[in-house]
């Protein structure tokens, strides 16, 4: 079945796809997969149903305000049978229907914005989880690689100790480092397990072999950075639409306070004679002029406006903070890549050669290996923070998801 314009699938399909991309076919395939996964999440499904309910509320608001009224009566006077039938209609004198139709439009906007907000939240959280999972798997690889290197080193130390090249202290020092590394590997694996469950909670069919966010996605994301119109941000759009709905309700309350007349036409027989009647009635708003209801509706609209303005202001600061944070992490990541330039990857073999020829003591070699591992972790951490910062920036600006026009 083709997705409707306002369905979550139509909204999600625009994630990462608002501009031409390198490797567009691959990007579309991965985005479609992400779309399907997010649309299955209970939060998005609940938001979809809520939007459908709001749309039904809008449809109800558009219906005619008053139905015609039919009345029938009969009685008997002596030998005469009397009867009367009438039809009456209340007239929407103040055009409440016009205000209700305007309210219906705003309810639909609110429903759409609410669904977009749920999709945006779930999209950003899913991408966050994928980034976190990838970082933990890389940390695990480093920990396991370090353990394997220490295991191999232990064999070499024992052989050199038997040959008399190394003392017992070197073996003990290596044993202590290896013991600590076993704990680090266990912690790294536990972190991967936790990260996997976080991804699976958000993306129901995801499995570790599916991997994280493809590398070709990131240039597409980065190319969307720019000044955003925050009024179109789903959270801001929701607050603005709710304010407009309450504002329209205040107008409905004002028009409702105006009395609506009822006109009726009746006919029948009375005492053997045909009778025709015309009736006109109008409520007298004397005891209650509904001014309290109007004031309450106006106050609720003013409250909603103030909340919208406060949220809009906060979003501006949140966006500025997210942009500054991402730029900071991205700058440091680029600097780290410039400094490393493959040096960290090649350094392990170089250090081992220096230890083999005696240029490095065992303690110095172990310390250097630890520093190398920390450098690799630093690069992974910086990459993770830069990616999380970019996702947060796109989420705060509303660029992470752009509904189809």
């Amino acid at each position: 079945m083709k997705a409707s314009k306002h369905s979550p699938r139509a909204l999600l399909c625009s994630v990462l796809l608002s501009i031409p991309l390198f490797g567009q076919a691959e990007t579309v395939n991965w985005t479609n997969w992400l779309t399907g996964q997010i649309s299955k999440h209970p939060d998005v499904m609940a938001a979809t149903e809520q939007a459908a309910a709001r749309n039904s509320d809008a449809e109800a608001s558009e219906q005619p305000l008053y139905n015609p009224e039919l009345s029938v009566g009969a009685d008997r006077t002596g030998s005469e049978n009397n009867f009367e039938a009438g039809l009456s209609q209340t007239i929407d004198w103040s055009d409440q229907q016009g205000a209700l139709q305007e309210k219906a439009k705003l309810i639909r906007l609110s429903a759409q914005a609410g669904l977009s907000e749920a999709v945006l939240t779930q999209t950003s959280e899913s991408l966050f989880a994928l980034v976190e999972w990838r970082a933990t798997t890389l940390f695990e690889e480093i920990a396991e690689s370090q353990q394997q290197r220490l295991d191999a080193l232990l064999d070499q130390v024992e052989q050199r100790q038997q040959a008399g090249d190394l003392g017992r202290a070197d073996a003990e020092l290596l044993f202590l480092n290896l013991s600590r590394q076993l704990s680090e590997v266990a912690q790294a694996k536990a972190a991967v397990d936790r990260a996997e469950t976080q991804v699976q909670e958000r993306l129901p069919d995801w499995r570790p072999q599916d991997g994280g966010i493809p590398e070709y996605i990131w240039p597409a994301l980065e190319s969307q950075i720019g000044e955003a119109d925050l009024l179109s941000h789903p959270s801001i759009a929701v607050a603005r639409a709710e304010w407009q709905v309450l504002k329209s309700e205040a107008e409905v309350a004002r028009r409702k306070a105006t009395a609506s007349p009822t006109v009726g036409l009746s006919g029948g027989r009375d005492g053997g004679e045909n009778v025709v009647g015309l009736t006109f009635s109008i409520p007298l708003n004397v005891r209650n002029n509904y001014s309290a209801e109007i004031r309450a509706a106006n106050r609720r609209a003013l409250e909603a406006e103030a909340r919208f303005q406060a949220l809009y202001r906060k979003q501006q600061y949140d966006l500025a903070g997210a942009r500054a944070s991402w730029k900071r992490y991205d700058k440091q990541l680029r600097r780290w890549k410039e400094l490393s330039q493959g040096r960290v990857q090649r350094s392990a073999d170089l250090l081992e050669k220096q230890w083999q020829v005696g240029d490095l003591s065992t303690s110095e070699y172990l310390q250097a290996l630890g520093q190398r591992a920390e450098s690799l972790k630093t690069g992974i951490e910086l990459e993770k923070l830069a990616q999380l910062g970019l996702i947060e920036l796109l989420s705060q600006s509303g660029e992470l998801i752009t509904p189809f026009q």
Side-chain angles (χ1 to χ4, degrees):
M1 184 176 67
K2 185 178 180 181
S4 66
K5 178 180 179 182
H6 301 303
S7 69
R9 177 168 288 273
L11 293 173
L12 280 163
C13 280
S14 60
V15 178
L16 322 179
L17 294 177
S18 63
I19 60 172
L21 306 176
F22 173 75
Q24 190 172 18
E26 289 181 322
T27 303
V28 170
N29 290 337
W30 188 81
T31 301
N32 287 338
W33 174 83
L34 181 67
T35 295
Q37 293 300 298
I38 292 177
S39 64
K40 293 179 181 180
H41 195 277
D43 286 346
V44 175
M45 295 174 67
T48 303
E49 295 303 322
Q50 185 181 49
R54 295 296 304 278
N55 286 327
S56 295
D57 289 338
E59 184 180 354
S61 186
E62 292 173 327
Q63 301 305 310
L65 197 59
Y66 301 110
N67 284 314
E69 216 174 290
L70 176 66
S71 61
V72 178
D75 62 65
R76 183 177 179 84
T77 304
S79 60
E80 297 292 338
N81 292 321
N82 305 319
F83 67 90
E84 181 182 22
L87 188 66
S88 62
Q89 174 68 58
T90 300
I91 300 172
D92 183 10
W93 194 258
S94 60
D95 191 23
Q96 294 181 52
Q97 185 62 32
L100 288 170
Q101 288 176 346
E102 183 63 26
K103 176 184 174 182
K105 296 178 184 177
L106 297 168
I107 290 175
R108 287 192 172 91
L109 289 176
S110 176
Q112 179 66 18
L115 178 56
S116 297
E117 184 179 30
V119 170
L120 174 61
T121 299
Q122 195 58 38
T123 300
S124 60
E125 288 182 355
S126 298
L127 296 179
F128 283 152
L130 286 171
V131 169
E132 189 67 38
W133 171 80
R134 180 179 180 275
T136 58
T137 56
L138 292 177
F139 284 141
E140 180 189 27
E141 289 177 7
I142 292 174
E144 288 185 328
S145 176
Q146 188 78 343
Q147 179 182 330
Q148 292 171 4
R149 188 170 291 276
L150 291 175
D151 283 332
L153 182 61
L154 182 60
D155 292 336
Q156 296 181 48
V157 167
E158 289 176 346
Q159 293 174 8
R160 292 181 63 178
Q161 187 179 2
Q162 291 175 0
D165 291 343
L166 293 176
R168 183 175 179 82
D170 294 279
E172 291 299 322
L173 183 61
L174 181 56
F175 171 75
L176 293 174
N177 277 269
L178 184 56
S179 299
R180 185 178 60 186
Q181 192 62 33
L182 291 173
S183 174
E184 187 171 331
V185 169
Q187 294 179 43
K189 289 183 176 296
V192 171
D193 292 338
R194 289 192 298 269
E196 282 183 6
T197 59
Q198 291 298 312
V199 178
Q200 289 170 343
E201 188 276 326
R202 291 168 175 81
L203 305 174
D205 298 330
W206 178 88
R207 295 296 178 266
Q209 54 267 30
D210 295 327
I213 301 173
E215 288 298 319
Y216 53 77
I217 291 295
W218 294 109
L221 283 171
E222 187 173 348
S223 66
Q224 296 183 64
I225 293 298
E227 291 299 323
D229 180 8
L230 286 182
L231 288 176
S232 63
H233 189 285
S235 298
I236 303 301
V238 167
R240 189 167 187 261
E242 290 299 326
W243 162 43
Q244 295 294 333
V245 167
L246 290 173
K247 188 176 178 181
S248 68
E249 286 183 355
E251 178 62 20
V252 171
R254 187 188 67 80
R255 297 188 185 188
K256 189 176 180 180
T258 302
S260 297
T262 301
V263 178
L265 179 66
S266 62
R269 291 183 65 82
D270 186 7
E273 300 290 335
N274 294 327
V275 294
V276 177
L278 180 66
T279 60
F280 176 85
S281 64
I282 185 170
L284 300 177
N285 295 344
V286 177
R287 301 182 64 189
N288 184 3
N289 62 5
Y290 302 101
S291 60
E293 287 83 347
I294 296 173
R295 288 196 304 272
N298 284 327
R299 292 294 184 181
R300 280 191 288 270
L302 290 172
E303 176 193 3
E305 181 183 11
R307 292 186 183 279
F308 157 68
Q309 295 291 353
L311 183 61
Y312 182 51
R313 180 176 180 273
K314 180 178 181 298
Q315 194 68 32
Q316 289 175 314
Y317 283 100
D318 288 345
L319 176 60
R323 178 170 281 114
S325 178
W326 170 74
K327 286 183 177 179
R328 181 72 65 185
Y329 288 131
D330 187 64
K331 179 181 178 181
Q332 294 301 100
L333 175 61
R334 293 176 187 273
R335 178 60 175 159
W336 182 88
K337 289 180 177 179
E338 290 175 1
L339 289 173
S340 62
Q341 289 291 329
R343 293 192 185 97
V344 178
Q345 298 296 337
R346 297 191 302 266
S347 61
D349 295 334
L350 178 61
L351 290 172
E352 184 175 356
K353 290 179 181 178
Q354 289 182 314
W355 175 72
Q356 292 282 6
V357 299
D359 290 343
L360 287 177
S361 66
T362 302
S363 62
E364 290 173 332
Y365 180 34
L366 292 174
Q367 183 180 9
L369 285 178
Q371 290 173 342
R372 173 184 175 274
E374 289 303 316
S375 180
L376 288 172
K377 291 178 184 178
T378 297
I380 296 169
E381 184 68 18
L382 283 173
E383 184 180 53
K384 182 186 81 169
L385 292 173
Q387 291 176 347
L388 292 177
L390 178 56
I391 295 169
E392 177 66 14
L393 172 57
L394 293 172
S395 178
Q396 292 294 344
S397 68
E399 293 172 295
L400 191 60
I401 174 171
T402 304
F404 283 171
Q405 299 298 320

